[in-house]
Amino acid sequence: PDLRYCQLSGEIPSSLGNITSLQSIQMNYNSLNGTLPDAIRQIFSLQTLYLEANQLSGTIPDIFGGLPSIAYLGFANNQFTGTLPRSASRPFAMLDVNGNRLTGAIPDEIWTRG
């Protein structure tokens, strides 16, 4: 669903993972907080996940290995900490994590298309 600029607040519910046919989640430019739920890994058809410009925090969970179609990830301008998860070590059409508090190196695999 396209829920950009909707003045949403609170945490992203884990029940979002029950909607397994979603291809796109766009909830950028809201006031969402808390962590990114692991349940997102259950949305196998997910291709786009845009969560920029919220107040999400904690580490980015290691969920991308279970999302074979994911190509566009927008996590910019949140409060994520730690390193990129191991499953993010693959090429994406778009990966934006600027404006967070991430540490560590960006894996070389991200820049190589297979």
Side-chain angles (χ1 to χ4, degrees):
D2 188 348
L3 299 172
R4 296 175 287 176
Y5 301 101
C6 287
Q7 300 179 355
L8 299 174
S9 60
E11 296 185 5
I12 299 171
S14 293
S15 59
L16 188 64
N18 296 334
I19 310 171
T20 57
S21 61
L22 283 177
Q23 294 182 347
S24 177
I25 298 173
Q26 298 181 47
M27 294 194 293
N28 28 340
Y29 303 100
N30 284 292
S31 296
L32 297 170
N33 59 33
T35 60
L36 188 60
D38 286 337
I40 288 178
R41 78 175 75 226
Q42 298 169 10
I43 309 173
F44 302 113
S45 58
L46 193 62
Q47 298 171 12
T48 302
L49 180 58
Y50 288 142
L51 299 171
E52 297 104 324
N54 280 288
Q55 298 162 12
L56 298 169
S57 60
T59 59
I60 298 172
D62 199 8
I63 60 174
F64 307 111
L67 299 173
S69 300
I70 195 82
Y72 300 91
L73 294 172
F75 293 152
N77 300 314
N78 279 287
Q79 299 170 16
F80 289 117
T81 58
T83 60
L84 283 175
R86 181 177 211 93
S87 61
S89 298
R90 63 182 181 131
F92 294 98
M94 194 278 299
L95 171 65
D96 189 354
V97 294
N98 79 26
N100 285 287
R101 298 181 211 154
L102 298 175
T103 58
I106 298 173
D108 289 335
E109 293 85 357
I110 288 177
W111 312 114
T112 308
R113 284 204 158 256

